[in-house]
Amino acid sequence: MPHVFRPEHAARLLAEERERLLPPDRIIDALEMQGHEDVVDIGGGPGFFALPMARRTKGTVYAVDLSKEMLAMLGERAAQAGLTHVQALEAPADRLPLPAESVDRALMAFVLHEVPDRIAALGEVRRVLRPGGRFLLLEWDKRPMEMGPPVNERLSLDDCEEALKAAGFRVLHRVFPNDVHYGVLAER
């Protein structure tokens, strides 16, 4: 079973170093949001990406996470920022508590490698996206480095693209936010 990021390490997810490595606004640019989209952040944690997305849309931002503690942090941070259209939902990535075709954009950052049934999780993302909806999948490069999950739990870029295609997505392009992470932008 892959390791799952633990809530007691949540401060790492909001650290300045992470913001330099993964500038949320630059990464969210890949989703080409126009200001009205409903969005889901799968594995939203304390809102590193969910809150910046909420600043870019008048639609609802659903932040889904397994951890009540992470979602409580997200709720506090959203309230402090005055972002009333963020909804925290406790659920696993392979059972999203959203109706079919209910969102226009989806983000899953550094979560897929933690999910036991990856195909089911990608199928859920496809299910909740509206036709033409965009999905940005971010993961760790599959090579040894001092940070991140164990290398044997990481997913290669090619494996992620193949899994997305198998789940019915059309791969649009790759995104490289830095030298240790990669992303794949796909469309339903």
Side-chain angles (χ1 to χ4, degrees), residues 47-65:
F48 184 79
F49 290 111
L51 299 186
M53 285 192 291
R55 290 183 189 100
R56 289 187 177 208
T57 186
K58 291 182 168 99
T60 302
V61 176
Y62 302 98
V64 179
D65 204 285

Side-chain angles (χ1 to χ4, degrees), residues 8 17 23 34 48 56 58 62 70 73 77 85 90 130 132 135 153-154 159 162 167 176:
E8 56 265 27
E17 181 181 335
Q34 305 299 314
F48 184 79
R56 289 187 177 208
K58 291 182 168 99
Y62 302 98
M70 292 279 203
M73 288 178 65
R77 295 182 68 235
H85 58 297
E90 184 182 352
R130 294 182 178 117
F135 173 39
E153 293 181 10
R154 298 178 191 202
D159 287 346
E162 288 307 310
F176 297 96

Side-chain angles (χ1 to χ4, degrees), residues 59-86:
T60 302
V61 176
Y62 302 98
V64 179
D65 204 285
L66 283 173
S67 166
K68 285 180 184 169
E69 297 90 348
M70 292 279 203
L71 292 172
M73 288 178 65
L74 171 114
E76 290 171 18
R77 295 182 68 235
Q80 288 171 357
L83 299 170
T84 59
H85 58 297
V86 176

Side-chain angles (χ1 to χ4, degrees), residues 9 36 57 71 78 87 113 120 125 129 134 166 174 177 180 183 187:
H9 300 295
H36 60 274
T57 186
L71 292 172
Q87 289 188 25
H113 71 272
V125 176
L129 272 173
R134 299 278 174 105
R174 296 172 171 185
V180 295
E187 184 177 68

Side-chain angles (χ1 to χ4, degrees), residues 10 14 23 56 68 73 92 95 102 116 124 131-132 160 180 182-183 187:
L14 300 172
R56 289 187 177 208
K68 285 180 184 169
M73 288 178 65
R95 290 191 305 277
S102 58
E124 274 292 275
C160 280
V180 295
Y182 64 83
E187 184 177 68

